[in-house]
Amino acid sequence: MIASRLRTVAVVAARSSLAAPLLRRAATAPSVFVSVTRGYTSKRFTPEHEWVAVADGVATVGISDYAQKALGDVVFIELPAVGTTLAKKENLGAVESVKAASDIYAPVSGEVVEINEELKDNPSLVNQSPEESAWIAKIKLSNPAEVDSLLDEAAYATHIAE
């Protein structure tokens, strides 16, 4: 249904004299679109509620919105050291809340190349923006194929609904 609406909008826009200059510009700059989107995958999840977003061989990792809601108010996050090499499912860190403490596991193998320093002083950011600003670490992938074994957004939604 959405696809048919988009086609209808595209046809109407193409017939509009106002759309013609925009369509000509878009047609002459396809490489810009490709370079902006190249190297990105959609967000993936583990059954243990970590998420991964990959860009240019580096996985940004955090805990899901579902996990932060289950934990409650986060008061502390243990971050890995930059330079640490991790195997998939190895302990990446920990998160502590007023309700519980939980380990965070590496969803992929690789080397930690960056950590979110902001979480040291503001662990509650996990409750405010768990799948955006509150990423935990960036891992340079040693085995990019591991990402394919993770749950896509639809599969993760089914997993947490069970």
Side-chain angles (χ1 to χ4, degrees):
M1 183 167 173
I2 292 173
S4 66
R5 286 184 183 168
L6 290 174
R7 279 192 295 274
T8 303
V9 170
V11 169
V12 171
R15 291 179 182 161
S16 165
S17 62
L18 296 175
L22 294 174
L23 292 173
R24 275 195 298 277
R25 270 187 263 152
T28 60
S31 62
V32 172
F33 178 76
V34 172
S35 67
V36 169
T37 60
R38 185 179 302 137
Y40 291 90
T41 63
S42 60
K43 197 175 284 181
R44 302 290 218 149
F45 297 85
T46 68
E48 297 79 27
H49 312 294
E50 290 89 12
W51 61 264
V52 177
V54 178
D56 300 323
V58 176
T60 301
V61 177
I63 66 168
S64 70
D65 186 52
Y66 178 87
Q68 73 81 19
K69 286 178 183 173
L71 286 166
D73 295 335
V74 174
V75 295
F76 176 77
I77 296 187
E78 178 185 334
L79 299 170
V82 171
T84 302
T85 300
L86 298 164
K88 183 176 179 176
K89 297 188 178 181
E90 189 173 348
N91 190 295
L92 172 70
V95 59
E96 294 179 18
S97 72
V98 294
K99 289 185 189 178
S102 182
D103 287 329
I104 303 166
Y105 298 99
V108 291
S109 300
E111 179 186 351
V112 176
V113 293
E114 187 177 348
I115 59 172
N116 190 345
E117 297 282 352
E118 189 175 352
L119 294 177
K120 290 179 179 179
D121 296 327
N122 187 13
S124 65
L125 186 59
V126 170
N127 298 113
Q128 299 161 15
S129 182
E131 295 184 23
E132 293 173 20
S133 301
W135 57 273
I136 293 169
K138 294 189 179 190
I139 300 173
K140 183 176 180 183
L141 298 171
S142 61
N143 184 358
E146 289 176 337
V147 175
D148 296 333
S149 69
L150 301 173
L151 303 171
D152 63 19
E153 292 185 44
Y156 182 67
T158 300
H159 172 69
I160 62 177
E162 295 174 347

